[in-house]
Each structure stands twice: as structure tokens, then as C-alpha cells.
Amino acid sequence: MTVLDAQSRITEIRSMLGLHRPTWSDASAHFRDALQSEVDSATTATPAYGRTTPVSGTQVVAAAEKYAGTPYKFGSNVPENGLDCSGLVQRAYADIGIKLPRIARDQASSGTPVPSLAQARPGDLLAFGRPVHHIAIYAGDGRMVVAPHTGEVVKTEPVTGTPTTIRRIIPTATAPAVRPANLSTTQLPESVPYAELFQSTGARYGLSPALLAAVAKVESGYNPNAVSRAGAQGLMQIMPATARGLGVNALNPAEAVDGAARLLSKHLKKFANLDLALAAYNAGGGAVSRYGGIPPFPETQAYVPKVKAAMAQLTTRATAPATESASLTGGLLK
């Protein structure tokens, strides 16, 4: 632990002890033990991601509320001895199988940011102070589960004050990723421009050709020479810097579709969700990560449903000939 770490922890101590400003004579033992606990736990803590069993924010809240009535005790994450604010957070998440750092400041850097309390969901972390010295678990409806300070107990109470940061540890559950095996074999109608190119590229990357075609339709209207005011180029509207990174010529349809397919595959793998992958294609993966979901940009908010609608239309058109054929055959057999 660095000197800055120690100073941050001292700030936390002072806040948690309320009106009583701790001195080395009465707080040194607690401080020494807490620092050692934090150093030990920091070497073993792991991120929340990579977990395979689905969990929800309401499970986190329930896990925290189990400790209601537990006395506040600075430096403790052992319920039998008492819990401080970050100890409660760490313990509640540990109970559902997610490891978090020990101190409030480090917990407040975990997960992804949530822009405001209005967008917070149960299970999100509410951190207070600069530097962060206090933390709680959002319970929904403007309430939080918290270990307040010395002389108090773990309880659920209204959110008081404005959090300096809100963090989402459990990724937002949205529509499942589009990766069923049959999508990559969907046959686009021959009337769709570049249908064969979307078909072959989709098969190469395990993507729906309708997804690639829908992106092209929304991005450029199937125009391989399109250039946007922002400088995005070609059929798939790839920015020059992105095209260089992908090693493609954005004005060459075959290279553009290949590059776009690689981008979409990367985003689908990272976010495991079609909506988020499309948002990342439009606004960048960093923006999706920062906002913990589709960024609040009007263009991106409109882009995702447009592409999904175009994709649904293309998929319907792809199955229409077979349906019409079956209908005609049935009529002849009558």
C-alpha cells in the first residue's frame, strides 16, 4: 500500500467515525489491522467478470440485507465481528460468488460507470466523497443498503447526498446475442445488393448475412462510394483510422464487408449482446463500456433499432420464397 493509499484510508476512517476525529492513540490498532487486511485482500481480489452462472442485482441486495442489524465496525469484513461500509459490499458480493477489492476507493473503480442515480439499478455501487471514503449498495426506489458509521448498524435507508460515482458490477441483462447456428446459413434474396458477398462473409465469420446486409443498408444505402460528413467511407461506413487498423480499403466492398464483419464479431464476443454490438459499431466499444449499455447519443439510440428492423425485414424476405413455393405446391396438389 502506497502513501496515497494510506492517506485515502485515513480520510475514510475520519468520515466513518462521524464527529470523532481519530487519533493514533485510539485508532492505531484498528488502522494497522485494516491496512494489513486490505493489502492481503488486494493480492487475491479478482474482477467480477468471467463468471458463468447468471446473477442479478436483486440477489446482491438480498445478500446485503441479510446482514441488517450487524454493528458497524471499522476495518472488519467479518460479520461476526461487525462490518464497515466496504466490508459489507465485499461480503455481499462474495456471497453470490463475485470477488471485489477490499476498500471503498478500489470498489468504486470496479465494473462500469452509470451516468446518474436515475439510471441506477439494484445492486449498483454508490460511492461518496473525493477521494471516495464511503460506499453502499443501491436497493432501488431511491434507497441503499449501507453500514453507515460507528454506533450504527447495517440497514436499508434513503440515499442521502449525491454519489460521486455509481458503478455497475453485474452487466446489464438485455436481449440475447444473435448467434444461433442457423443464422449464418440464412439465404438472402438475390435482389439484395451484394447478397453473395454478405453470404460468403457471414459464413466465414459465423455471422448472419442479414446482419451484414442490414448494417450496409442503414449505413450507406448499399452505396460503396458513400462518404459521410464525419469522413466514414464506403459500403459499411468505416472511418479511415479504423480501416487502417483493420488493414482494409473501406471503398472496396469486399474489404469493407470483411472489416465490418470482424468488428461486429469482436463486439459480439465482448458484449455478448446484439444491441450492444451494434451500438459499439456505431459509437465505439469504449462508449458502450463507459455507459454500461447503449450510450445516450441520439444517433446511436436510433441506429440500433434501425439496423434490427432492417435485419428482420431481410430475414423475412429470405424465407418468403420458400413459403410462397410451398403455398403454390399445396394449391396445385388440391
Side-chain angles (χ1 to χ4, degrees), residues 80-129:
E80 293 76 13
N81 299 332
L83 293 168
D84 64 11
C85 63
S86 53
L88 169 66
V89 168
Q90 187 186 48
R91 174 59 58 181
Y93 268 92
D95 286 350
I96 62 168
I98 294 176
K99 293 183 180 179
L100 288 182
R102 173 63 182 92
I103 63 174
R105 187 199 59 198
D106 292 340
Q107 292 172 355
S109 298
S110 300
T112 57
V114 176
S116 70
L117 191 62
Q119 294 168 273
R121 299 189 177 193
D124 290 348
L125 303 185
L126 308 182
F128 300 86

Side-chain angles (χ1 to χ4, degrees), residues 4-325:
L4 289 176
D5 292 329
Q7 290 174 338
S8 176
R9 193 54 172 156
I10 290 170
T11 302
E12 183 174 353
I13 298 167
R14 289 172 177 166
S15 173
M16 295 303 97
L17 292 178
L19 297 176
H20 175 58
R21 183 183 180 91
T23 64
W24 288 109
S25 60
D26 63 6
S28 57
H30 291 295
F31 186 55
R32 182 193 63 242
D33 293 344
L35 291 183
Q36 186 59 55
S37 172
E38 288 156 14
V39 170
D40 292 343
S41 64
T43 62
T44 58
T46 58
Y49 304 103
R51 178 185 170 88
T52 57
T53 304
V55 294
S56 68
T58 54
Q59 286 177 277
V60 178
V61 174
E65 288 180 336
K66 276 191 323 187
Y67 299 109
T70 301
Y72 177 93
K73 183 176 181 182
F74 169 73
S76 176
N77 62 351
V78 179
E80 293 76 13
N81 299 332
L83 293 168
D84 64 11
C85 63
S86 53
L88 169 66
V89 168
Q90 187 186 48
R91 174 59 58 181
Y93 268 92
D95 286 350
I96 62 168
I98 294 176
K99 293 183 180 179
L100 288 182
R102 173 63 182 92
I103 63 174
R105 187 199 59 198
D106 292 340
Q107 292 172 355
S109 298
S110 300
T112 57
V114 176
S116 70
L117 191 62
Q119 294 168 273
R121 299 189 177 193
D124 290 348
L125 303 185
L126 308 182
F128 300 86
R130 296 186 188 277
V132 170
H133 57 72
H134 190 46
I135 199 158
I137 296 172
Y138 188 59
D141 298 323
R143 299 177 67 78
M144 62 184 180
V145 187
V146 62
H149 51 76
T150 299
E152 278 278 14
V153 297
V154 173
K155 59 183 178 180
T156 302
E157 64 180 18
V159 177
T160 54
T162 302
T164 50
T165 187
I166 303 172
R167 307 294 292 194
R168 181 158 297 154
I169 304 302
I170 299 172
T172 304
T174 51
V178 176
R179 277 192 178 273
N182 65 326
L183 283 181
S184 61
T185 60
T186 299
Q187 294 296 314
L188 291 173
E190 292 181 4
S191 60
V192 175
Y194 302 100
E196 187 175 337
L197 178 56
F198 296 132
Q199 207 75 51
S200 60
T201 307
R204 183 158 65 249
Y205 291 102
L207 293 173
S208 166
L211 171 60
L212 297 174
V215 169
K217 180 179 181 181
V218 172
E219 290 284 359
S220 70
Y222 300 120
N223 180 0
N225 300 311
V227 178
S228 76
R229 284 180 295 180
Q233 299 177 334
L235 186 65
M236 309 305 283
Q237 289 292 278
I238 301 174
M239 294 295 288
T242 303
R244 286 194 296 272
L246 292 167
V248 301
N249 176 0
L251 295 172
N252 179 304
E255 292 186 30
V257 174
D258 184 89
R262 279 186 277 147
L263 279 177
L264 286 165
S265 292
K266 181 184 77 171
H267 294 322
L268 281 167
K269 182 177 181 181
K270 179 177 180 178
F271 298 110
N273 180 275
L274 177 61
D275 289 17
L276 299 186
L278 289 172
Y281 188 89
N282 178 260
V288 173
S289 295
R290 281 196 304 276
Y291 287 98
I294 299 175
F297 310 146
E299 179 187 332
T300 307
Q301 294 276 341
Y303 177 82
V304 173
K306 278 183 186 177
V307 175
K308 291 179 70 178
M311 184 179 175
Q313 185 180 39
L314 287 163
T315 304
T316 300
R317 287 175 61 190
T319 59
T323 303
E324 291 167 4
S325 175

